[in-house]
């Protein structure tokens, strides 16, 4: 029963996300220029509604009721891990003020529209102030969710859960130790490639 109630709630989220994705696709591809403000407004409203669904007390109860019940024994480990991730995302999203999220979403849609104009006009100056604001708002967004975490690590955790910059540094340092000697052994013609010069310039 808990599982069914949770999946029904998530269907509401999925339906709105599907609509949101379609509107984003329309905005980014073939929407007339004079419709961008209207589409941006619609996207902002939908994403705000999604935010409310994902941070509601009802959603929290549904997640807890299922994950803390014996019903998890009837589902696969992958399914339960899937819903644990949703509970983690709930806790993170709950830290973000709703008013800020609304402004952040509105800025994202506006940035996309201005980027299209700037690209067509080959005018970076048109987009530059929006890009600056987008970067600053994104930093604030992640600081709300991860107030005590290195900003890069916080962003990285969104896409690679548990990964940190220190782990990546170790990985790339190990790769460099193995690859650079191999690069230096390449034929002269290959070393002339622009992206290899940095590692062969000492020769």
């Amino acid at each position: 029963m808990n599982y069914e109630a949770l999946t029904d709630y998530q269907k509401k989220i999925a339906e709105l996300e599907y609509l949101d994705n379609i509107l984003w696709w329309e905005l980014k591809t073939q929407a007339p220029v004079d419709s961008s403000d209207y589409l941006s407004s619609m996207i902002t409203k939908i994403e705000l509604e999604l935010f409310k669904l994902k941070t509601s007390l009802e959603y929290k109860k549904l997640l807890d009721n299922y994950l803390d019940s014996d019903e998890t024994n009837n589902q696969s480990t992958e399914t339960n891990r899937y819903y644990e991730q949703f509970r983690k995302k709930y806790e993170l999203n709950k830290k973000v003020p709703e008013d800020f999220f609304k402004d952040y979403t509105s800025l994202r849609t506006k940035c996309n529209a201005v980027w299209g104009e700037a690209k067509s006009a080959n005018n970076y100056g048109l987009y530059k102030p929006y890009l600056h604001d987008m970067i600053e708002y994104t930093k604030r967004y992640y600081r709300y969710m991860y107030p005590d975490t290195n900003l890069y690590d916080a962003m990285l955790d969104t896409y690679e859960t548990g990964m940190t910059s220190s782990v990546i540094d170790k990985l790339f340092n190990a790769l460099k130790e193995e690859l650079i000697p191999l690069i230096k052994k390449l034929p002269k013609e290959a070393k002339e490639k622009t992206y290899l010069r940095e590692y062969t310039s000492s020769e």
Side-chain angles (χ1 to χ4, degrees):
M1 184 67 177
N2 291 322
Y3 180 72
E4 291 180 2
L6 177 57
T7 54
D8 284 344
Y9 190 92
Q10 288 211 285
K11 284 179 182 177
K12 298 178 185 178
I13 293 176
E15 288 168 357
L16 275 181
E17 286 179 334
Y18 181 72
L19 178 58
D20 185 50
N21 288 334
I22 289 176
L23 291 177
W24 267 110
W25 179 83
E26 182 74 12
L27 182 64
K28 291 179 178 180
T29 55
Q30 56 187 6
V33 175
D34 57 3
S35 71
S36 63
D37 287 344
Y38 177 68
L39 281 174
S40 295
S41 175
M42 289 180 65
I43 290 171
T44 299
K45 289 178 181 178
I46 290 172
E47 294 201 357
L48 183 58
E49 185 61 31
L50 277 167
F51 181 78
K52 291 177 179 178
L53 286 172
K54 293 178 180 180
T55 57
S56 71
L57 181 59
E58 180 185 1
Y59 190 36
K60 170 65 172 172
K61 288 180 177 178
L62 288 169
L63 286 166
D64 287 343
N65 287 344
Y66 167 67
L67 289 169
D68 298 335
S69 73
D70 293 335
E71 287 186 48
T72 54
N73 297 327
N74 300 324
Q75 303 298 328
S76 67
T77 300
E78 290 77 13
T79 297
N80 293 331
R81 188 180 297 125
Y82 177 73
Y83 284 108
E84 283 287 3
Q85 287 298 312
F86 279 117
R87 181 152 64 177
K88 176 185 176 181
K89 289 178 182 178
Y90 170 88
E91 297 297 342
L92 292 173
N93 288 331
K94 195 66 178 174
K95 296 177 182 180
V96 181
E98 186 176 308
D99 287 343
F100 170 81
F101 182 82
K102 181 179 180 180
D103 292 341
Y104 179 53
T105 302
S106 180
L107 177 62
R108 285 174 58 223
T109 56
K110 182 62 177 177
C111 276
N112 186 81
V114 174
W115 175 83
E117 296 173 20
K119 183 180 179 182
S120 297
N122 195 25
N123 183 358
Y124 171 66
L126 185 64
Y127 183 59
K128 184 177 179 179
Y130 290 91
L131 177 61
H132 175 271
D133 289 347
M134 192 70 240
I135 291 172
E136 293 305 312
Y137 264 73
T138 300
K139 288 179 180 179
R140 287 176 60 190
Y141 180 62
Y142 278 90
R143 286 191 181 115
Y144 277 125
M145 293 190 291
Y146 301 85
D148 303 316
T149 304
N150 172 276
L151 186 59
Y152 184 84
D153 287 345
M155 293 180 175
L156 187 59
D157 187 66
T158 302
Y159 299 97
E160 294 291 343
T161 303
M163 184 61 68
T164 64
S165 55
S166 62
V167 173
I168 289 179
D169 285 343
K170 290 178 182 177
L171 171 63
F172 277 91
N173 286 334
L175 288 172
K176 286 169 69 175
E177 288 178 7
E178 297 294 330
L179 291 177
I180 291 177
L182 290 177
I183 292 172
K184 290 183 176 180
K185 293 179 180 179
L186 290 172
K188 182 178 179 180
E189 306 80 54
K191 292 178 183 179
E192 293 300 317
K193 297 290 185 181
T194 303
Y195 54 85
L196 295 178
R197 286 176 187 167
E198 177 182 349
Y199 305 109
T200 59
S201 57
S202 60
E203 294 186 350

